[in-house]
Amino acid sequence: MPRLLLVDDDLDIIVALERYFVRAGFAMTTAANVAEGIERLEKAAAARLPFDAVITDLNMPDGNGLAVLRAVRRLFPSCPTIVLTGTATVAVSVEAMRLGALTLIEKPAPPRELERQIRLSMGQAKEIASGIDAASSAGLIGSSPQIRGLFETVVRVAQTSSTVLVEGESGTGKELVAQSIHRFSARAAGPFVAVNCAAIPESLLESELFGHAKGAFTGAAQDRRGRFQLAGGGTLFLDEIGELPLAMQGKLLRVLEERTVEPVGSAKSEPVDFRLVAATNRKLEEMVAKGQFRADLFYRLNVVPLSIPPLRERRGDVARLATHFLAQANASRKEKLSFDAEALAALERHAWPGNVRELKNLIERLAVLKDAGAIGAADLPEALRTPRLPAPQSSSALPPSGIDLHAALAELEERLIGEALQISGGNKSHAASMLGLKRTTLIEKLRRRGKPPPA
């Protein structure tokens, strides 16, 4: 029986919709305001009983329905949501959609239309969830809202033939995303051909991409197929596309527009059948403004943009990734390793400038150096064992007039706790882990400051 949460301050609407949906075979939970709605969501998350859909009013006496959407996004990222509203500005509507609302329906909402939208969204959510599970098995690991949103987009875009531009810092896993798009697409049975545009000398790049005819240049003893031909029926992945020389950018644009290639030394064009996924760790729009990248090619590539968040913005995913990489290392070991809580907390605190690649390399190194047992904080590099404090604003941290050390430390503690709660989306357990505290200690610190513990 599908579980549905309805949040609305209008008692008549609650009674009418509850009666309708119970008859339609739904298990109903209702809330009369924003606070109750968030409380119902948190209780469901604690009991591991997710809702299959959420309907929320937008304007309620104790707050805005956007707060309910944020809680759904934090606790049940894949749960479809529908917003009921009498009046909504364009800005509020855009924000609601950004937070995951599938649609906004004007009041009074016809129950049959609501049911139709809910059942449709539940079916889509199941398809996305199965795709996300497949993405996890392919190596895309994470449960933070940022990465779950990326997974959902990967699953959706894979079903199309659109060109995809993957943007992200080095080490975030751009090729893994490209492989997942190929794996979930109708071209999965075809080849996946990867090209690092920065690793091939400019003099050889044209031949590598488009192939060459026999005798085209010294050493060309026979015809050679290029990467576009080799990707026939499959996916071509052009990594570091921002490093492509301007002259080659024009030739690539022509291939994308005409779907033919002309091998070096040949006057005959050959048709090619490929799906293009490009990736870059540079800001292509800024390069266009500086004349370093062709605007027409950028628009051709940027049909479906995907942005991979850096690991420092994926709080909560670090421990899961570390455990995943350690499990891979354990597969070839007799003595299995694990992490203790202190080590995982230290890993979560680190900024990870090298992103997932840096984390993976560290776990591999730890697995080599550790004989057996649990990996503790003492086994980690010094940079990870010692949390980084904010840099002082001047060359001297101590002013000539002196300082109230207790007040300064209290202020620093206040700021760090606030940042941890903000990064974790208000999740006390995650925030405490990031600060190297027990959850009860964090709650006590908040209580002593006269602040109610956040949700």
Side-chain angles (χ1 to χ4, degrees), residues 2 46 123 155 288 379 439 444 447:
V155 174
V288 169
D379 298 309
R439 184 175 183 274
E444 178 61 21
R447 187 191 65 76

Side-chain angles (χ1 to χ4, degrees), residues 86-100:
T87 57
T89 64
V90 173
V92 171
S93 300
V94 170
E95 178 66 6
M97 301 303 280
R98 188 186 71 79
L99 290 171

Side-chain angles (χ1 to χ4, degrees), residues 324-392:
H324 170 74
F325 293 140
L326 189 61
Q328 290 181 330
N330 278 334
S332 59
R333 292 175 56 99
K334 291 183 178 179
E335 296 288 339
K336 306 304 181 185
L337 298 174
S338 62
F339 288 107
D340 67 17
E342 190 178 357
L344 287 176
L347 293 176
E348 285 283 2
R349 288 195 299 265
H350 187 56
W352 299 109
N355 291 295
V356 179
R357 183 185 294 124
E358 179 188 0
L359 175 61
K360 183 176 182 180
N361 291 341
L362 171 66
I363 303 307
E364 183 177 346
R365 183 164 71 250
L366 291 172
V368 170
L369 298 177
K370 185 75 172 179
D371 293 328
I375 296 173
D379 298 309
L380 303 178
E382 175 63 26
L384 275 72
R385 294 200 300 269
T386 306
R388 296 180 179 178
L389 296 179

Side-chain angles (χ1 to χ4, degrees), residues 167-181:
E167 297 177 300
E169 297 178 5
S170 294
T172 50
K174 296 185 287 295
E175 183 166 352
L176 194 58
V177 168
Q179 290 172 347
S180 297
I181 292 172

Side-chain angles (χ1 to χ4, degrees), residues 153-154 156-164 178 180-187 191-193 228 231-238 256 259 272-278 304:
T153 307
V154 165
R156 291 180 189 277
V157 75
Q159 308 307 314
T160 73
S161 59
S162 299
T163 299
V164 180
S180 297
I181 292 172
H182 172 71
R183 179 174 176 177
F184 305 145
S185 73
R187 294 175 172 266
F192 177 85
V193 178
F228 280 94
T235 302
L236 177 65
F237 174 56
L238 295 181
L256 295 179
R259 293 285 156 167
V272 284
D273 172 29
F274 63 93
R275 198 263 182 84
L276 180 65
V277 179
V304 180

